[in-house]
Structure formats: C-alpha cells, structure tokens
Amino acid sequence: MSRNAASFNRSKPRFKPQPTVLVICEDSKSGKCYLEDASGYFRVKVQVEICHCGKTDPLSIVNEAIGRKGKFDRVFCVIDRDTHANFEKALDAAKSQAKIEAIVSYPCFEFWLLLHFGYSRKPHSPDSLLKDLRACPDFLDYDKGSDRNIFRSLESRLPEARHFAPKALTEALDSGEMNPSTRLHELLAYFEELSQPQKIR
C-alpha cells in the first residue's frame, strides 16, 4: 500500500527540548566533586557542565557566568558567603541576569554537609563550621580541598539534608540572619526535575 503525503508528516514532539545547564563552583574539589556526583545520582539526562573557572571570589564567578551564559539555557553560580568583600556586588550582578541564579551558602558549602547530620541554626564562621563538621561520623579528617567521594558517603543521609535545608532557609529569610543557611537543596531539586522528561502541555 502506498503512503500519501500526510503520512510522512512528523508527529508533534511530546516533550520539551532538554535545556543546557552550566554550574560554576567556587570550590575546585569538594563542592565540584559533590555536585558532579549529585548529577550522576539523579541521572540527569541533559547537558550539565560543572566546572571551576580558576577563580574563587563570587564576583569573578558571576562574571564568568555572564560571559558564558549565551551557550546555556540556565547558569548556576555556587558560591559561599565566607568573608568575600565583593559578595554583595556578585549577588546584584547575578540578579540582573535572567538566566543566572546564585546558589549561596552561609557561611560556606560545608553547612549543607552539616545538615546531613541534623538541624542547626547555630551561627558559624567557616572555621567553627569545619570544627563541628569534623565532629560528625566519618568526617574527622574532612578537608575543604579534598576530592574524596563526599556525596556517596552522605547519600543515605540526603533526605535529612533536603528536609532541613528549606527549614533553615525559611528561618534565615524570616529573621534576616542568613548565617547559617544554604540553597543547595534548590539546585539538587532542579537536578531531580531534569532527570524527568518534561511533557509539552
């Protein structure tokens, strides 16, 4: 049986095109390795490039994101409050860019790790936070520059961190005291969303 012209028409796509995503990390090892392992855990099915741009201050990271955003649908800048002098400038620069979102931790990424062991809103300096984290099981020798598989060692505790982080962030926003808090859970939720095909409605 011969086919008519209409039978050769392609059917309409059922799913949205997969976005391209860039994640730029402040950490060259611990944070970067953690997010690479997290994207693998969630089986992200899209192009996610997680990189360290060779600069560690927030404004340089956001400027790197601004320079590269043309090739991506969304860009995330994972930065620590720490004691960076240009932190507020970096946040303002990120807010002015539609595609760019800052994933900030106060005082640093390690607060997200600490939330795997329980809820806390105890204010920290980066040093005091490391001290508390090193008191947790299997973290006695934790080093910020380590490339050990942190994600895998904390995988069984991930639901706790994802439960506590939004609570800490809500309390921080309500009180106006952001230390300690983190938005890492929002990035992981986005990874999880990306792992599912998005139907066109």
Side-chain angles (χ1 to χ4, degrees):
M1 181 185 292
S2 63
R3 299 178 65 182
N4 58 33
S7 71
F8 288 98
N9 292 339
R10 289 186 175 182
S11 59
K12 291 183 179 179
R14 296 170 47 213
F15 300 101
K16 294 179 182 177
Q18 297 284 20
T20 53
V21 180
L22 173 65
V23 180
I24 304 177
C25 301
E26 180 178 317
D27 290 336
S28 62
K29 289 190 176 176
S30 53
K32 180 177 180 288
C33 292
Y34 181 93
L35 291 173
E36 287 171 342
D37 291 338
S39 69
Y41 171 81
F42 287 110
R43 299 182 182 183
V44 176
K45 297 175 181 173
V46 298
Q47 179 189 347
V48 176
E49 181 180 340
I50 299 170
C51 70
H52 176 63
C53 64
K55 300 156 190 168
T56 58
D57 68 283
L59 188 56
S60 293
I61 290 169
V62 172
N63 285 338
E64 177 80 10
I66 292 170
R68 298 189 62 188
K69 69 176 184 175
K71 296 181 180 176
F72 295 89
D73 296 306
R74 291 188 72 177
V75 182
F76 295 90
C77 299
V78 180
I79 56 180
D80 295 343
R81 172 61 186 97
D82 211 325
T83 56
H84 296 296
N86 61 19
F87 177 75
E88 294 298 336
K89 280 186 179 177
L91 291 191
D92 290 343
K95 285 177 188 170
S96 68
Q97 304 291 325
K99 288 184 182 179
I100 297 176
E101 187 170 341
I103 300 294
V104 182
S105 295
Y106 297 76
C108 53
F109 167 75
E110 281 72 18
F111 179 63
W112 166 254
L113 303 183
L114 190 64
L115 288 174
H116 290 70
F117 298 95
Y119 184 73
S120 173
R121 277 280 292 152
K122 172 185 167 186
H124 279 290
S125 67
D127 288 342
S128 70
L129 181 54
L130 278 178
K131 183 179 178 183
D132 281 8
L133 184 61
R134 286 172 178 153
C136 296
D138 300 324
F139 274 75
L140 178 63
D141 61 347
Y142 174 79
D143 178 20
K144 195 173 178 65
S146 169
D147 57 0
R148 64 183 268 196
N149 196 324
I150 304 167
F151 185 88
R152 185 166 297 169
S153 66
L154 291 175
E155 186 179 326
S156 64
R157 297 176 184 269
L158 182 59
E160 293 170 69
R162 296 184 78 187
H163 173 71
F164 292 138
K167 181 181 176 184
L169 181 60
T170 297
E171 288 190 13
L173 292 170
D174 288 347
S175 68
E177 175 53 69
M178 298 304 290
N179 181 11
S181 64
T182 181
R183 290 187 181 273
L184 255 300
H185 60 286
E186 295 177 354
L187 182 55
L188 265 61
Y190 184 62
F191 282 176
E192 188 171 36
E193 178 186 327
L194 290 178
S195 70
Q196 305 298 322
Q198 302 294 310
K199 284 188 176 180
I200 296 175
R201 297 178 182 177

